[in-house]
């Protein structure tokens, strides 16, 4: 890709970044610049602070410097330990999110609060919970209890591992990565990477994989499934995206973070006639809720709530001067928001006991009093409307797309074709047929964050376009999904970027070429889809002409995702190198040798055009091996 030197390919972001510069307000890009050069030891994963004798760092540039830590830990040990701890932290974040959703389901006392009863009973059946003679609330309680058991049960493997193809389950058992209870695996990483414990980098990575698996096949999957049960399984719908969704005359509330329990309640509260009336009394035309990051994905997928933007747009949203409140819960919330809100009237409201920010107003969310608290929060926003200072500056930029492609929605979409050919409905057959015939070459998941090491959104979008023209279907989640919808890739018009085969598939199925599958925890939907396709062809996930890419990743959660995807047999391309380059052994293991064990591996490539070439080559290779 030609590097134009821009910080972003998103027009709204460019506009507000200029505004920030003119007003002397510091953003993520300014702080990244001030941070240069970044610490080489940290960048390579060669700094250890795991005990009080440290910090220790290994000098790679000359043999005169230390070649081992004070305890004798080698570069392999130190790099592997740091990587494993990041993975464990990522898995912890996603899993704890899953736990909160399970607790929310556990406390449901009214059937009306369960939006997908069919899914609830299906899961009860999958988990061997008898439903005869029990009412919905009782079944929900038992399903929630079973889910909560996944975190701390004393014996047995993760229940959702059984969703994988048989060959994969066997491989996990043989290689010692079939995870047990979620909390146990995460604690084990912390224990085995403690000073003076595991020093064998391969074994450290094996334990990291066990922890990563508790994310994708554990906490994340629990989060997705139970959120669908509670709030409804997403179905296709239209949505508007980018900062242009904020409305000058309205009370604007931006919900940012991750857990749908909070955002769902805010969406309901913002429609409360009493509060809408109050907003009008304050001189506003009404209340406008928009979502950011994964919270944005969750409420957009289920309710069509506009998507305000992704990770690198959170500071900019406040700079519009039009946001009455930014309501946050957990993960990916920049502490800088507290500083920036001081220059505007925006109220930053934290809601989770796990994530308080000095300078913010804290109104603790409690699932059992959700509506009451949500109303209180919305009222804070409404009453703040009159405090707007100076000019409001909302960029015009917004685009429209179709989102809401849960696994159920995809199967339903495919049924349109199956039914016309008198085939059994409810299967992935049409998808497999399209891939087998070569009309579709394969599919790629583009996921993950924004990172100043890459131009904002530009890598997501360029990579997606490069894949579409090669007849490769793209599915996406997280901040990658925001990037794609903003760039118009979820509209029918995006068919113009597709090769002939993909364009025909999109037309036939009436789908956009880039499918929004949800938030980061919803990557679990992709795991189930891959498993279904692999089972259908009687093979394994590693046989499929598919790949994953995180071209702008930054979070520890992304490292956990990458590792469980690799262990599930997927080729994972990272646009930013993780901090493992300090050990040739660890880097080679993760990017090469691990493939012979799990059939998946990491690839590092920062250029999205070259990344697409590498992914396409991988896909063609898999096709050849399948004989298609
Ligand atoms: Fe140094 Fe070893 Fe302690 Fe790490 S564990 S800080 S390498 S002495
Ligand atoms: Ni998921 Fe990455 Fe966005 Fe946060 S919201 S920034 S982890 S992709
Ligand atoms: Fe996320």
């Amino acid at each position: 890709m030609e590097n134009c030197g821009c910080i972003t390919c998103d027009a709204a972001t460019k506009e507000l970044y200029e505004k920030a510069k003119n007003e002397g307000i510091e953003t993520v890009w300014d702080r990244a610049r001030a941070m240069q050069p970044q610490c080489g030891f940290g960048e390579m994963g060669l700094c250890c602070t795991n005990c009080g004798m440290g910090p220790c760092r290994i000098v790679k540039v000359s043999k005169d410097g230390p070649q081992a830590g004070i305890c004798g830990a080698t570069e392999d040990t130190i790099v592997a330990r740091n990587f494993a701890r990041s993975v464990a932290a990522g898995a912890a974040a996603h899993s704890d999110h899953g736990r909160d959703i399970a607790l929310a389901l556990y406390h449901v006392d009214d059937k009306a609060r369960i939006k997908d009863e069919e899914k609830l009973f299906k899961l009860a059946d999958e988990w061997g919970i008898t439903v005869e003679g029990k009412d919905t609330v009782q079944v929900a309680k038992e399903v929630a209890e079973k889910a909560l058991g996944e975190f701390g049960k004393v014996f047995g493997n993760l229940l959702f591992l059984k969703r994988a193809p048989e060959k994969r389950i066997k491989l996990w058992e043989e290689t010692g990565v079939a995870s047990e209870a979620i909390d146990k695996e995460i604690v084990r990483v912390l224990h085995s990477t403690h000073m003076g414990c595991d020093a064998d980098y391969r074994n450290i990575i094996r334990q990291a994989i066990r922890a990563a698996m508790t994310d994708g096949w554990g906490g994340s999957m629990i989060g997705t499934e139970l959120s669908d049960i509670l709030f409804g399984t997403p179905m296709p719908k239209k949505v508007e995206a980018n900062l242009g969704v904020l409305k000058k005359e309205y009370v604007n509330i931006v919900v940012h973070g991750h857990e749908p329990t909070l955002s769902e309640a805010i969406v309901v509260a913002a429609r409360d006639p009493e509060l809408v009336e109050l907003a009008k009394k304050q001189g506003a035309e009404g209340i406008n809720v928009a979502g950011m990051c994964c919270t944005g994905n969750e409420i957009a997928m289920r309710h069509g709530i506009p998507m305000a933007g992704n990770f690198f747009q959170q500071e900019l949203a406040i700079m519009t001067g039009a946001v009455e409140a930014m309501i946050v819960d957990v993960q990916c919330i920049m502490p800088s928001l507290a500083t920036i809100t001081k220059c505007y009237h925006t109220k930053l409201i934290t809601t989770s006991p796990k994530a308080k920010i000095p300078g913010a107003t804290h109104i603790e969310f409690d699932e059992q009093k959700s509506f009451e608290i949500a109303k209180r929060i919305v009222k804070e926003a409404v009453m703040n409307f009159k405090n707007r200072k100076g000019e409001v500056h909302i960029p015009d930029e917004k685009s429209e797309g179709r989102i809401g492609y849960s696994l159920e929605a995809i199967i339903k979409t495919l049924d349109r074709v199956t039914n016309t050919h008198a085939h059994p409905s409810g299967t992935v057959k049409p998808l497999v047929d399209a891939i087998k015939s070569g009309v579709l070459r394969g599919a790629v998941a583009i996921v993950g964050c924004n990172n100043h090491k890459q131009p904002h959104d530009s890598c997501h979008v360029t990579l997606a376009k490069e894949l579409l023209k090669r007849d490769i279907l793209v599915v996406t989640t997280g901040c990658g999904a925001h990037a794609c919808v903003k760039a118009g890739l979820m509209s029918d018009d995006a068919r113009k970027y597709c090769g002939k085969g993909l364009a025909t598939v999109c037309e036939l199925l009436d789908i956009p070429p880039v499918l929004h599958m949800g938030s980061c925890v919803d990557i679990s939907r992709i795991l189930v889809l891959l498993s279904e396709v692999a089972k259908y062809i009687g093979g394994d996930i590693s046989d499929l002409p598919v790949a994953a890419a995180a071209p702008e990743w930054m979070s520890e959660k992304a490292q956990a995702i990458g590792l469980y995807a690799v262990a599930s047999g997927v080729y994972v391309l990272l646009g930013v190198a993780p901090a493992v380059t300090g050990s040739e052994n660890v880097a080679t293991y993760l990017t090469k040798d691990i493939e012979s064990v799990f059939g998946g591996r990491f690839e590092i490539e920062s250029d999205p055009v070259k990344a697409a070439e590498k992914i396409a080559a991988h896909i063609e290779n898999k096709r050849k091996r399948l004989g298609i």
Side-chain angles (χ1 to χ4, degrees):
M1 184 180 72
E2 249 178 78
N3 195 343
C4 59
C6 291
I7 54 140
T8 177
C9 73
D10 178 69
T13 300
K14 242 181 238 172
E15 193 177 320
L16 285 169
Y17 174 69
E18 286 306 319
K19 181 174 190 274
K21 269 208 303 206
N22 293 339
E23 292 177 10
I25 291 173
E26 200 180 70
T27 62
V28 62
W29 290 280
D30 304 309
R31 291 187 299 271
R33 220 171 293 125
M35 198 59 69
Q36 302 310 317
Q38 285 180 267
C39 170
F41 296 107
E43 203 164 54
M44 292 193 283
L46 286 170
C47 173
C48 182
T49 57
N50 288 15
C51 88
M53 294 196 287
C56 299
R57 73 258 181 280
I58 309 285
V59 173
K60 294 284 282 185
V61 284
S62 111
K63 285 280 170 227
D64 296 338
Q67 299 298 303
I70 293 169
C71 66
T74 63
E75 59 187 41
D76 297 344
T77 307
I78 291 174
V79 165
R81 283 198 308 216
N82 287 337
F83 177 66
R85 285 191 164 209
S86 282
V87 167
H94 272 156
S95 293
D96 211 31
H97 165 162
R99 186 196 328 255
D100 281 348
I101 304 293
L103 281 168
L105 184 66
Y106 182 83
H107 286 120
V108 163
D109 50 11
D110 176 3
K111 184 177 168 228
R113 292 194 58 198
I114 291 179
K115 296 289 170 341
D116 193 339
E117 225 181 332
E118 191 188 332
K119 194 156 182 165
L120 169 69
F121 280 86
K122 236 174 122 186
L123 187 56
D125 184 51
E126 180 180 338
W127 281 353
I129 296 167
T130 46
V131 297
E132 280 87 59
K134 293 175 190 162
D135 63 11
T136 305
V137 172
Q138 181 61 27
V139 175
K141 214 174 249 333
E142 289 184 29
V143 165
E145 235 169 333
K146 192 93 173 171
L148 290 165
E150 289 298 278
F151 291 85
K153 64 186 179 188
V154 186
F155 303 110
N157 300 112
L158 282 182
L159 290 171
F160 278 141
L161 295 183
K162 292 195 196 113
R163 288 185 166 187
E166 237 164 80
K167 285 185 189 165
R168 186 65 22 189
I169 300 173
K170 214 167 142 243
L171 179 70
W172 287 335
E173 277 162 6
E174 283 165 7
T175 51
V177 300
S179 311
E180 297 170 56
I182 298 165
D183 293 351
K184 194 196 290 186
E185 299 294 357
I186 291 166
V187 166
R188 271 188 188 151
V189 168
L190 296 181
H191 176 188
S192 64
T193 57
H194 183 275
M195 189 274 156
C197 211
D198 201 346
D200 175 342
Y201 75 90
R202 281 176 192 258
N203 202 44
I204 294 168
I205 293 171
R206 188 186 61 84
Q207 183 51 49
I209 291 173
R210 292 180 66 97
M213 297 281 288
T214 69
D215 178 335
W217 297 92
S220 276
M221 209 170 273
I222 289 171
T224 298
E225 298 290 298
L226 272 46
S227 293
D228 284 357
I229 289 169
L230 264 175
F231 308 119
T233 302
M235 285 294 149
K237 54 181 61 65
K238 279 204 174 138
V239 76
E240 285 184 336
N242 215 341
L243 289 165
V245 303
L246 298 175
K247 294 179 184 167
K248 193 174 172 193
E249 300 79 13
Y250 281 66
V251 169
N252 287 299
I253 297 177
V254 175
V255 237
H256 170 29
H258 279 82
E259 296 180 3
T261 32
L262 168 75
S263 47
E264 286 279 336
I266 298 287
V267 169
V268 177
R271 287 174 185 158
D272 185 71
E274 231 177 82
L275 287 169
V276 175
E277 203 40 53
L278 187 63
K280 286 184 180 157
K281 272 200 197 123
Q282 305 303 309
E285 283 181 19
I287 304 172
N288 180 38
V289 179
M292 189 145 259
C293 276
C294 276
T295 281
N297 290 321
E298 299 273 1
I299 48 179
M301 292 278 283
R302 296 198 176 89
H303 305 289
I305 299 288
M307 298 163 67
N310 53 8
F311 183 58
F312 268 16
Q313 292 178 288
Q314 54 185 295
E315 297 176 306
L316 304 180
I318 293 165
M319 284 173 211
T320 61
V323 176
E324 274 57 55
M326 185 171 277
I327 303 161
V328 302
D329 56 6
V330 289
Q331 302 165 24
C332 305
I333 301 144
M334 292 192 194
S336 66
L337 296 180
T339 316
I340 295 177
T341 44
K342 275 195 205 126
C343 308
Y344 298 88
H345 77 302
T346 308
K347 272 202 171 154
L348 177 65
I349 302 177
T350 52
T351 58
S352 167
K354 293 171 211 166
K356 293 190 180 181
I357 301 174
T361 308
H362 189 75
I363 304 179
E364 202 147 306
F365 187 68
D366 174 354
E367 180 48 37
Q368 275 151 287
K369 285 183 265 167
S370 60
F371 187 57
E372 209 182 303
I373 296 172
K375 267 175 79 173
R376 207 179 122 206
I377 295 174
V378 172
K379 194 172 171 190
E380 288 272 336
V382 168
M383 298 313 287
N384 198 23
F385 183 74
K386 57 179 183 300
N387 298 328
R388 281 191 187 178
K389 298 176 192 162
E391 274 282 294
V392 163
H393 183 125
I394 302 172
D396 282 336
E397 210 64 37
K398 62 177 170 186
S399 53
E400 207 182 70
R402 252 189 306 161
I403 65 162
Y405 290 92
S406 57
L407 179 62
E408 290 81 348
I410 291 176
I411 300 273
K412 238 188 192 166
T413 305
L414 293 173
D415 275 351
R416 283 187 207 137
V417 190
T418 357
N419 287 337
T420 57
H421 295 320
H423 284 303
S425 59
T427 73
V428 290
K429 183 177 187 296
L431 182 61
V432 173
D433 286 349
I435 289 176
K436 272 192 181 161
S437 72
V439 178
L440 261 189
R441 306 308 293 172
V444 172
I446 300 181
V447 303
C449 331
N450 301 133
N451 186 322
H452 68 89
K453 295 176 183 172
Q454 296 280 58
H456 168 242
D457 281 1
S458 158
C459 299
H460 288 295
V461 175
T462 307
L463 176 60
K465 286 182 183 167
E466 287 292 319
L467 295 172
L468 298 185
K469 77 176 185 208
R470 292 174 168 90
D471 287 328
I472 296 169
L473 178 76
V474 172
V475 300
T476 176
T477 63
C479 289
H482 279 270
C484 290
V485 67
K486 284 187 290 166
L489 299 182
M490 293 177 188
S491 67
D492 291 340
D493 187 47
R495 285 178 200 161
K496 68 181 180 221
Y497 300 116
C498 303
K500 224 168 141 194
L502 178 58
T504 313
V505 171
C506 290
E507 204 160 315
L508 197 69
L509 292 174
D510 187 26
I511 53 167
V514 176
L515 299 180
H516 191 330
M517 289 188 76
S519 61
C520 306
V521 294
D522 291 338
I523 294 175
S524 64
R525 299 187 199 276
I526 303 176
L527 290 179
V528 183
L529 176 61
L530 291 175
S531 300
E532 288 308 305
V533 174
K535 284 181 206 167
Y536 190 84
I537 65 164
D540 194 356
I541 296 172
S542 55
D543 298 329
L544 306 176
V546 299
E552 303 178 26
W553 77 272
M554 63 83 202
S555 95
E556 288 173 315
K557 292 176 286 175
Q559 300 203 51
I561 295 166
L563 194 59
Y564 74 62
V566 166
S568 302
V570 179
Y571 168 95
V572 177
L573 187 138
L574 302 176
V576 177
V580 298
T581 50
S583 156
E584 275 96 66
N585 281 333
V586 172
T588 308
Y589 182 63
L590 292 173
T591 55
K592 288 197 177 74
D593 305 346
I594 200 168
E595 193 173 21
S596 61
V597 186
F598 294 107
R601 68 175 176 95
F602 283 106
E603 176 89 78
I604 317 289
E605 177 55 68
S606 59
D607 183 323
V609 175
K610 287 191 193 137
E613 283 162 12
K614 288 182 179 170
I615 290 172
H618 167 81
I619 283 178
E620 291 307 323
N621 202 5
K622 288 286 173 191
R623 294 187 63 92
K624 216 178 278 161
R625 276 200 234 163
L626 276 172
I628 55 173

